Amino acid sequence: MSRVVVGVTGGIAAYKACILVRLLRKSGIDVHVISTAAALTMVGRTTWEALSGNPVYTETTDDAANVTHVRLGHEADLIIVAPATANTLAKLRAGLADNLLTSTILAVRCPVMLAPAMHTEMWLNPATQENAAVLADRGFQIIEPASGRLTGADAGIGRLPEPEELCEAVLCELGGDTSLAGKRIAISAGGTHESIDPVRFIGNNSSGRFGVALAREAHRRGGEVTIVAANVDSNVLKDARGVSVQPVVSARDLHDGMRQAAERADIVIMAAAVADFRPEHESSSKQKKDGTATRSLDLVENPDILFDLAHHRSHAGQMVIGFAAETGDGQSSVLEYGRAKAARKGADLMVVNEVGTARGFGNVDTAITIIDAGGTVHGSGQGSKADMASLVFDTIQQLQENM
Ligand code: CTP
């Protein structure tokens, strides 16, 4: 699912941006509104939040713990500012960062579309014209204002184009990457729970965020994605709109789910953290204390799903990718453990990621190295899970081209 930031600045045409947000959401896009304080006097925060389904921020200091202007900018596939006032055009040209929208735009790498809307004289003023021309030169996409009735009694060029037109322009711009169109991708995410009794289980820390980021990226590239989700929180899964989700609990459920999803898949990715062992017997009633100070649990090994999928491919040319979450220790480094695992599992690529308190699990940055079964490095990087998901698919697709 693509993520679009709709920037709204203080023009009367802000009301049209409400319809734009609605249309984008209807097209399956995750929409985040960044409003300037002036725009909030036109349309209130509640309306934006209800229409977009996401919180709305205006200042760089809002949600400071998450460095919102950097995060929103990094995670966005596209930003559209509609309406863009003459004032905002001037600020963007000057590189000012005096509110969340201007700061975010300074921090982004994704395409930015600007839809100026203002009175004819303001639009035709040489200062505004020059600002728009400079911004276009810098790579901003300027959506020319339409002609027609303006806010007062006047008419002329300066109207915000209709929301349907803006939505189409956004979809057209996003449609750029269709590199996975026609391909099926099966991804496992989350961490398995191995039941001890009706209230206890053996589990792990995996949030499923990386798996969901991979699913989003594959969907953004036009792929048909199935995610087999082991105990992934609905808050995390909500980012996987447009993706078929099959919830599972245990390693054996995950095995069944992935075997089925892999049957038709061109790319199979095991991003889930699978418990290596499960209790030999699951008690049907809650286990009680019995006065002894110690208790032991008999465990049996779970199937190695990745090994199985890599060694029983449903058709020639199917790619199988595994993950190796490693901490490293006194004996071997993260990469050495990753290389050994790559050789053992038989997957085409292994994504080795370092996990620890500040890295890997949950909502934190990720550092990855992508290696093949022979240990050759095909890519590496560090950043948000969205960026790393993109790197994983770039690497997969590069390898496919060379096969
Ligand atoms: N995996 C799997 N089935 C298992 C265990 C792991 O499919 N029973 C997959 C994971 O989804 C991942 C890869 O194998 O893609 C590596 O998982 P990891 O837990 O790092 O490796 P293990 O094989 O469990 O090795 P170890 O615990 O010794 O590090």
Side-chain angles (χ1 to χ4, degrees), residues 98-371:
D98 63 339
N99 59 37
L100 183 59
L101 182 59
T102 48
S103 309
T104 301
I105 291 177
L106 268 187
V108 295
R109 292 187 285 256
C110 69
V112 180
M113 303 170 97
L114 303 173
M118 61 201 76
H119 286 282
T120 307
E121 294 76 11
M122 292 173 80
W123 172 242
L124 295 179
N125 186 293
T128 309
Q129 286 294 306
E130 198 189 294
N131 289 338
V134 169
L135 288 168
D137 264 357
R138 286 188 201 152
F140 287 83
Q141 193 180 322
I142 311 282
I143 303 172
E144 286 290 311
S147 287
R149 179 77 195 266
L150 298 170
T151 306
D154 50 342
I157 189 164
R159 267 171 72 88
L160 185 70
E162 294 311 306
E164 290 74 11
E165 259 174 73
L166 296 175
C167 180
E168 210 173 299
V170 169
L171 295 181
C172 186
E173 185 68 31
L174 284 174
D177 189 349
T178 53
S179 53
L180 286 177
K183 299 256 188 243
R184 294 197 181 91
I185 298 101
I187 300 172
S188 72
T192 65
H193 288 182
E194 311 301 321
S195 203
I196 298 170
D197 67 20
V199 293
R200 301 183 181 94
F201 59 82
I202 299 173
N204 61 67
N205 267 339
S206 177
S207 63
R209 283 198 170 87
F210 208 150
V212 168
L214 288 164
R216 273 180 55 120
E217 182 60 22
H219 179 64
R220 193 183 72 75
R221 295 180 185 214
E224 192 186 312
V225 188
T226 300
I227 190 165
V228 182
N231 311 295
V232 181
D233 194 272
S234 56
N235 256 331
V236 175
L237 272 181
K238 77 172 177 6
D239 278 346
R241 268 174 271 172
V243 165
S244 149
V245 178
Q246 191 193 332
V248 293
V249 177
S250 68
R252 284 182 294 175
D253 300 339
L254 184 68
H255 196 188
D256 291 344
M258 280 306 283
R259 263 209 293 228
Q260 208 181 339
E263 251 167 47
R264 298 166 67 225
D266 303 286
I267 300 171
V268 177
I269 305 181
M270 276 298 298
V274 186
D276 293 325
F277 295 92
R278 66 176 184 276
E280 186 171 18
H281 304 288
E282 179 188 345
S283 167
S284 57
S285 55
K286 188 183 169 200
Q287 303 262 296
K288 307 297 284 179
K289 286 195 282 291
D290 60 6
T292 55
T294 58
R295 175 76 68 99
S296 59
L297 194 60
D298 288 326
L299 301 173
V300 290
E301 198 166 358
N302 269 326
D304 190 321
I305 306 168
L306 176 61
F307 184 92
D308 179 41
L309 295 171
H311 287 85
H312 301 99
R313 307 197 187 206
S314 62
H315 53 270
Q318 182 182 60
M319 280 196 80
V320 177
I321 292 96
F323 268 69
E326 304 288 351
T327 59
D329 55 27
Q331 280 174 356
S332 298
S333 69
V334 168
L335 199 56
E336 280 163 353
Y337 276 129
R339 284 205 162 100
K341 204 167 278 182
R344 185 154 46 87
K345 299 275 185 173
D348 299 297
L349 290 173
M350 287 293 276
V351 180
V352 184
N353 70 315
E354 188 178 348
V355 290
T357 44
R359 255 191 196 156
F361 285 126
N363 200 5
V364 291
D365 264 12
T366 305
I368 62 169
T369 305
I370 306 170
I371 58 179

